[in-house]
Amino acid sequence: MRNSKYSEESGTQPDWSALSGQIPGFMYVAQVTSSEFRPLNCIGGFEKLTGFPVTDFMRGDFFRSDVVSRRDRVPLRKFRARAASGSLPASIRYEIVTREGNTLEVEEKVTLLSTADGGKAIGGIVSLAGEASGPTISGILGKDMHRYEELEKLNRHLLEVNQLKDEFLANTSHELRTPLNSIIGFLTLITEGYYESVEELKIFTRNALESSYHLLNVINDLLDISRIESGKMQIQIEKVYVNELLDQVYETFKVQADEKGLNLEVAAGENPVYGAADVRKLKQVLINLAGNAIKFTSEGGVSVSAVSRDGQIEFRITDTGIGIPKDKYDKLFQKFIQLDGSATRRFGGSGLGLVISKHLVEMMGGHIDVESKGTGLGTTVFFTIPKWPKEET
Ligand code: ADP
């Protein structure tokens, strides 16, 4: 008898052959569902371990046959069903009866490779006989399974990131195309002379201009995130007069708030407040957050405030808008994630504003967080920056 390799599909898994000679057991790749265990590949010493030909294993009924000792058949069946649900890696010990009629205790370990793969699992079965003395046995398998599990985890993570990137690209191209189409549309109307009055010409021109600004914002967000990610974003900390900055935020959003019938309050209190920050980046964060607050609010109002506390300036941007469910908090500051695709499309935006804001705030030495009582109950975003040292104010 010899170590054998039997495969229906070759090249679908790592090369275990170097190990197979050492292990008193074998490895397999199988298709698993809650009702089926279908071996696709078997590497190693199945025959050596059991005395049966490897084709017995490949038929798939090996574990249902008399080979597994009676007391272990039910636990083993349950173990396989659990493997299909993806709750493993796990291991089980059970007894098999070899062709010569000897009982042998074995250990089996299995890891579900990927559910996207239709429930493929990789497993190994080794004899536990002589475990204490031999250098081979489950130690080898355990070590290798562990490495495989690590790779598998990484693989899943990469797949997830890749999927997020695809979604992001789809969303981004939509966000780039929408304003661009609008610009082209209005400019076509103008150049073809499809306007009936100077007034209408002005409206078309203004629409094209607004879409151009929107497009510029999306592109800037994309450039910012790539600069941040590649570590090329630079900040320059200086003394910032926060009251003046808040006045500028008010000016930026007053017309928009009025148009939506929203009450806009911006306050830094009576006393001058000075922060240590990059003034342009701080303004960018405030405009991002206040812009979101107005964007996601259709009734009530938005307030932006700054107070000086414990060596820090705390900004709060509060709105009475659509709110954020608690279970979505952890997604908010993740790149490429938008809470509600349909709402986002309705409201526009690249989905990068909060991520950029978080990076910028942290680069300036502060932190940012969100609070909402839930859907429809408004949102508060608060963030800090260091206060400008007192003696120098
Ligand atoms: P976007 O460009 O989509 O606004 P952001 O990164 O600024 O991107 O925000 C990400 C998502 O967080 C938004 O799509 C929205 O679902 C949610 N969000 C952000 N700010 C608010 C807010 N003030 N009220 C409700 N939801 C918000």
Side-chain angles (χ1 to χ4, degrees):
M1 276 175 269
R2 60 190 168 80
N3 289 325
S4 49
K5 177 172 176 169
Y6 187 108
S7 167
E8 282 186 357
E9 293 175 9
S10 57
T12 53
Q13 66 289 307
D15 179 15
W16 301 97
S17 49
L19 273 174
S20 64
Q22 307 173 52
I23 303 173
F26 62 98
M27 305 213 63
Y28 64 79
V29 175
Q31 194 78 33
V32 288
T33 67
S34 53
S35 60
E36 185 194 36
F37 176 85
R38 186 163 62 87
L40 301 171
N41 196 322
C42 177
I43 304 161
F46 176 85
E47 279 187 47
K48 192 170 167 183
L49 188 75
T50 67
F52 293 100
V54 69
T55 42
D56 280 6
F57 176 74
M58 293 306 292
R59 274 207 317 266
D61 56 3
F62 176 71
F63 297 101
R64 268 165 283 163
S65 68
D66 293 344
V67 173
V68 176
S69 77
R70 187 172 299 276
R71 60 150 206 206
D72 289 337
R73 280 179 213 164
V74 174
L76 186 59
R77 209 171 40 239
K78 285 187 180 158
F79 174 77
R80 300 217 166 285
R82 268 209 328 277
S85 74
S87 55
L88 297 175
S91 66
I92 184 173
R93 290 181 174 206
Y94 55 94
E95 221 171 58
I96 59 169
V97 184
T98 66
R99 196 170 198 173
E100 284 90 38
N102 301 322
T103 54
L104 189 66
E105 202 186 355
V106 295
E107 180 174 16
E108 176 167 350
K109 292 192 177 190
V110 63
T111 300
L112 199 66
L113 291 185
S114 155
T115 40
D117 219 358
K120 250 182 213 169
I122 184 160
I125 297 176
V126 290
S127 161
L128 293 172
E131 183 166 26
S133 56
T136 56
I137 322 281
S138 59
I140 296 173
L141 187 54
K143 206 171 95 212
D144 242 74
M145 287 299 286
H146 179 69
R147 222 174 61 206
Y148 199 88
E149 282 152 19
E150 291 284 303
L151 282 174
E152 195 43 40
K153 228 159 69 189
L154 184 66
N155 189 32
R156 275 180 208 171
H157 177 68
L158 289 176
L159 280 174
E160 210 172 288
V161 169
N162 200 33
Q163 195 187 341
L164 290 175
K165 259 198 169 129
D166 284 350
E167 281 169 21
F168 171 73
L169 275 179
N171 267 335
T172 306
S173 55
H174 172 84
E175 292 307 328
L176 292 174
R177 238 187 261 130
T178 308
L180 194 57
N181 281 341
S182 161
I183 295 166
I184 292 170
F186 284 113
L187 291 181
T188 306
L189 292 178
I190 294 167
T191 52
E192 299 289 325
Y194 290 127
Y195 51 89
E196 287 174 359
S197 62
V198 173
E199 219 24 67
E200 199 166 56
L201 176 65
K202 273 192 190 160
I203 292 172
F204 289 175
T205 317
R206 203 180 315 124
N207 286 344
L209 191 62
E210 271 171 16
S211 295
S212 311
Y213 281 127
H214 177 65
L215 184 59
L216 185 64
N217 284 338
V218 176
I219 292 170
N220 282 339
D221 275 359
L222 288 171
L223 290 176
D224 272 355
I225 200 79
S226 75
R227 241 182 264 138
I228 288 169
E229 300 228 307
S230 60
K232 290 195 181 124
M233 175 69 86
Q234 306 236 321
I235 57 162
Q236 281 183 327
I237 301 295
E238 57 193 311
K239 183 179 178 181
V240 177
Y241 185 30
V242 172
N243 308 56
E244 188 184 349
L245 201 57
L246 291 190
D247 285 345
Q248 292 172 12
V249 172
Y250 181 80
E251 290 308 322
T252 307
F253 289 107
K254 181 69 182 120
V255 175
Q256 205 178 324
D258 281 350
E259 276 171 5
K260 288 187 84 173
L262 299 175
N263 183 34
L264 177 65
E265 273 176 31
V266 177
E270 305 271 289
N271 300 324
V273 177
Y274 293 98
D278 181 312
V279 66
R280 291 181 55 201
K281 305 286 188 282
L282 180 57
K283 188 171 174 181
Q284 183 179 348
V285 172
L286 281 166
I287 287 183
N288 240 325
L289 301 180
N292 271 351
I294 289 184
K295 184 163 76 172
F296 294 109
T297 304
S298 56
E299 255 178 66
V302 169
S303 83
V304 183
S305 66
V307 291
S308 174
R309 184 178 297 146
D310 302 332
Q312 297 199 307
I313 316 289
E314 188 179 302
F315 293 84
R316 297 178 84 83
I317 296 93
T318 300
D319 66 59
T320 55
I322 64 170
I324 298 168
K326 272 211 167 45
D327 60 338
K328 299 274 171 68
Y329 280 14
D330 59 330
K331 295 223 154 98
L332 273 178
F333 295 102
Q334 283 179 30
K335 199 176 50 173
F336 306 146
I337 290 206
Q338 295 176 313
L339 294 189
D340 173 351
S342 62
T344 308
R345 270 194 292 282
R346 186 152 38 97
F347 293 113
S350 66
L352 290 171
L354 283 180
V355 189
I356 293 171
S357 299
K358 181 175 163 69
H359 278 293
L360 293 180
V361 165
E362 287 173 358
M363 283 170 86
M364 291 189 285
H367 71 271
I368 186 167
D369 222 330
V370 173
E371 208 174 75
S372 169
K373 292 201 169 67
T375 307
L377 297 173
T379 302
T380 296
V381 182
F382 45 94
F383 74 93
T384 58
I385 55 160
K387 193 174 160 184
W388 187 256
K390 207 173 179 176
E391 60 275 16
E392 293 178 41
T393 54

